[in-house]
Amino acid sequence: MLDAVERQNLSDLVAAKIREYIVAEGLKAGDRLPTEQALADRFGVSRLSVREATKALGFLGILEAAPRRGLTVGKVDMGRVTEYLGFHLALNDYSRNQLLETRIVIETGVLPYVMKRMAENASIYDRLHEINDKLHRARSLEKRIEADIAFHHALLESSGLEPLVAFNDLLQIFFDRFRRSVATGDWKMGVEGHQRMIDSLKNGKLEAAVDELRRHLEYHKKRK
Amino acid sequence: MLDAVERQNLSDLVAAKIREYIVAEGLKAGDRLPTEQALADRFGVSRLSVREATKALGFLGILEAAPRRGLTVGKVDMGRVTEYLGFHLALNDYSRNQLLETRIVIETGVLPYVMKRMAENASIYDRLHEINDKLHRARSLEKRIEADIAFHHALLESSGLEPLVAFNDLLQIFFDRFRRSVATGDWKMGVEGHQRMIDSLKNGKLEAAVDELRRHLEYHKKRK
DNA sequence: AAAATCATATTATCTGATAATTATATCCAC
DNA sequence: GTGGATATAATTATCAGATAATATGATTTT
């Protein structure tokens, strides 16, 4: 089975069980789950433990609950996670290099797929270019961060590998704090790097695009 | 007390209050919070509502709880947060190819890091070899799947990129159903592929290792 | 001083109960 | 019959109180 002994508290275990249930039943957003009591009986725990789990999942937006309507599957969007991790990460250090190397693996690894799809669909280049242009015109730190995240998100999205899009969104939350310390003058460099990269992709120069992206990301490594 | 917008869940409000508390007191990882009962009194709610809130925050790793030690501010790690992505994968039932390509990106992307660390630490090769040997000797489907997962897990772990380890574990869970349909005779092929790959890594032949791993994973693509 | 034992604070979980909310069925006017 | 008001029932939301499990800090033993 999955993880019988590893988890120590019941509510985490129940949360995992609920995930299995969702997979097994192939539930999608809006679908109903059994009632709390029914889940409690099914898992052999008290309603309270189910409740703690569904509350936690509800907090993240994964489940929704209402009297009479019962539990329904929600949309997984990262709003809640961003909100709460954002404040927390501001207080805790997390290995910068690990995050960076992870981003490098994922983003450069995805470029072959982006290039291929770009060759078939010109609008992909246009979209990336447009976002980068927005980044170029941005004047406040907040706008820049927003546009930069949007650019990398769009890059991942252009690969068509959706699981990686989700994972990258998560990484970006952790990475946020490093972005904030980018010197104002250096943003220009970033924009130019983006541009050279997508141009290389457009021209079928994969190696060059990979190098460009790696250099772009490794910029964060040098800074203290 | 706040009655401004009494529209939300109590536990959500409590979660927000706790966040405020952490910020206001400037608490950092490891610092203690008041006990559940004390928080309940402070916020004027029952202990249950506090509990639901702390559970939700605990799910993300923002809070940790233990008997006698009480509630402490936690250290968020990607592994914990990646659990959350599990629900994302559960709800969007991605195609075999998407999952496969995602694995290819991650696992091949990680090989340069594995090779580097292998050159510095011989035990990495030994460990991978040992697991692959276990796979070789396995005779039941369950044992084989277990060993195969262990091999790929160890591969990721050898890269030292923790965020990717967690994510790949998740991918493997959802990939499980495809593994089950591998023909008995084909496992031998897999073992040999593994072996050639780690040998290439040992000999510093990155390209060859990448090719080998890609071919190994793409085996799942051809099958129906 | 190190190891083993004990006491105690605190979370973990259960049971049972009541309130609040909302979907569905029922009824009433026209 | 149709539209709107109303009752009914299902289900979550919240509370209270109790017991079990467990990690920490104090105490004793070696």
Side-chain angles (χ1 to χ4, degrees):
Chain A
M1 263 317 171
L2 266 185
D3 31 21
V5 196
E6 185 74 26
R7 330 189 81 89
Q8 33 209 30
N9 51 11
L10 266 183
S11 49
D12 277 4
L13 196 147
V14 170
K17 289 272 187 196
I18 289 176
R19 189 179 82 186
E20 286 176 30
Y21 181 88
I22 291 175
V23 174
E25 301 288 319
L27 301 186
K28 292 179 300 183
D31 290 345
R32 271 193 74 170
L33 278 80
T35 67
E36 292 180 350
Q37 190 58 58
L39 289 172
D41 295 344
R42 165 187 284 255
F43 300 144
V45 300
S46 78
R47 204 190 132 201
L48 177 71
S49 299
V50 170
R51 189 127 237 287
E52 289 180 344
T54 59
K55 269 293 179 176
L57 296 179
F59 181 77
L60 298 173
I62 293 167
L63 295 183
E64 284 170 13
R68 179 72 209 236
R69 191 184 319 134
L71 295 165
T72 52
V73 176
K75 268 196 335 244
V76 177
D77 84 291
M78 296 209 181
R80 230 19 181 319
V81 179
T82 310
E83 184 187 351
Y84 275 79
L85 284 187
F87 101 88
H88 185 269
L89 293 173
L91 310 169
N92 291 280
D93 214 6
Y94 197 83
S95 162
R96 172 198 208 112
N97 266 1
Q98 289 234 335
L99 286 174
L100 197 54
E101 300 289 0
T102 300
R103 280 193 68 188
I104 291 176
V105 166
I106 289 180
E107 299 201 28
T108 62
V110 119
L111 291 186
Y113 299 84
V114 177
M115 193 171 90
K116 183 157 172 253
R117 299 182 89 215
M118 200 183 261
E120 296 161 355
N121 181 355
S123 76
I124 289 179
Y125 175 89
D126 296 340
R127 175 137 175 272
L128 289 168
H129 179 73
E130 186 192 325
I131 295 174
N132 198 38
D133 203 49
K134 193 174 286 177
L135 174 58
H136 181 54
R137 292 194 311 273
R139 283 294 164 267
S140 72
L141 179 62
E142 288 306 321
K143 290 278 180 199
R144 280 181 175 132
I145 288 179
E146 191 186 320
D148 191 44
I149 289 179
F151 180 84
H152 290 274
H153 176 88
L155 183 68
L156 267 285
E157 215 169 46
S158 306
S159 75
L161 297 181
E162 294 176 49
L164 283 179
V165 177
F167 183 61
N168 193 59
D169 285 346
L170 209 53
L171 277 178
Q172 298 288 351
I173 296 172
F174 283 80
F175 207 76
D176 184 66
R177 45 200 250 85
F178 302 130
R179 269 208 188 76
R180 296 190 173 274
S181 57
V182 170
T184 313
D186 286 353
W187 283 96
K188 183 154 175 262
M189 235 171 56
V191 171
E192 291 166 358
H194 286 169
Q195 188 59 47
R196 280 194 300 274
M197 181 191 64
I198 63 176
D199 283 342
S200 292
L201 286 177
K202 192 184 186 182
N203 299 325
K205 296 180 177 170
L206 183 59
E207 292 273 332
V210 169
D211 287 347
E212 194 62 60
L213 179 54
R214 169 170 285 117
R215 202 173 317 131
H216 171 65
L217 290 173
E218 279 180 346
Y219 157 80
H220 292 282
K221 201 189 274 184
K222 303 178 212 113
R223 304 181 306 115
K224 178 64 206 94
Chain B
M1 201 72 68
L2 77 162
D3 340 39
V5 185
E6 188 96 21
R7 191 68 214 106
Q8 289 204 337
N9 279 336
L10 258 188
S11 50
D12 281 9
L13 287 179
V14 171
K17 285 280 188 192
I18 291 176
R19 185 177 67 167
E20 285 175 27
Y21 180 88
I22 292 176
V23 173
E25 301 286 319
L27 300 186
K28 289 180 296 186
D31 290 347
R32 271 193 73 168
L33 280 81
T35 67
E36 290 179 351
Q37 190 57 59
L39 288 172
D41 295 344
R42 166 190 284 254
F43 300 142
V45 300
S46 79
R47 203 188 132 203
L48 175 69
S49 300
V50 171
R51 189 129 237 285
E52 290 177 343
T54 57
K55 275 284 170 186
L57 295 176
F59 190 79
L60 289 176
I62 292 173
L63 249 47
E64 282 172 14
R68 177 72 208 236
R69 190 184 320 133
L71 296 166
T72 51
V73 177
K75 181 161 171 271
V76 174
D77 72 295
M78 281 289 296
R80 196 80 180 120
V81 179
T82 302
E83 288 276 303
Y84 167 81
L85 274 188
F87 287 90
H88 183 83
L89 293 178
L91 290 178
N92 300 277
D93 115 270
Y94 293 122
S95 72
R96 165 199 300 232
N97 263 4
Q98 287 241 326
L99 291 175
L100 192 56
E101 301 287 0
T102 301
R103 282 191 64 190
I104 291 176
V105 167
I106 289 180
E107 300 202 24
T108 62
V110 120
L111 291 188
Y113 299 86
V114 178
M115 193 172 89
K116 184 156 171 251
R117 299 183 89 216
M118 201 183 262
E120 296 161 355
N121 180 355
S123 76
I124 290 180
Y125 174 89
D126 296 340
R127 175 136 176 274
L128 289 168
H129 178 72
E130 186 192 325
I131 296 175
N132 198 39
D133 203 49
K134 194 175 285 177
L135 174 58
H136 181 52
R137 292 194 311 270
R139 281 294 162 269
S140 72
L141 179 63
E142 288 306 322
K143 290 279 179 198
R144 280 183 175 130
I145 288 180
E146 192 186 318
D148 191 44
I149 288 180
F151 180 84
H152 289 274
H153 174 86
L155 183 69
L156 267 285
E157 215 169 44
S158 307
S159 76
L161 297 180
E162 289 173 39
L164 286 178
V165 177
F167 185 57
N168 201 57
D169 284 348
L170 209 49
L171 284 176
Q172 298 226 49
I173 290 174
F174 286 89
F175 203 76
D176 193 57
R177 52 200 153 126
F178 303 128
R179 267 205 193 83
R180 295 187 173 276
S181 57
V182 171
T184 312
D186 287 353
W187 282 97
K188 184 157 175 254
M189 235 171 56
V191 171
E192 292 166 358
H194 286 171
Q195 188 60 46
R196 280 194 300 273
M197 181 190 65
I198 62 177
D199 284 342
S200 294
L201 287 177
K202 194 183 185 183
N203 299 327
K205 296 180 176 170
L206 183 59
E207 292 272 332
V210 169
D211 286 349
E212 194 62 59
L213 179 55
R214 167 170 288 117
R215 202 173 318 131
H216 171 65
L217 290 172
E218 279 180 346
Y219 157 80
H220 291 282
K221 200 189 273 183
K222 302 177 210 118
R223 301 183 307 115
K224 177 72 202 89

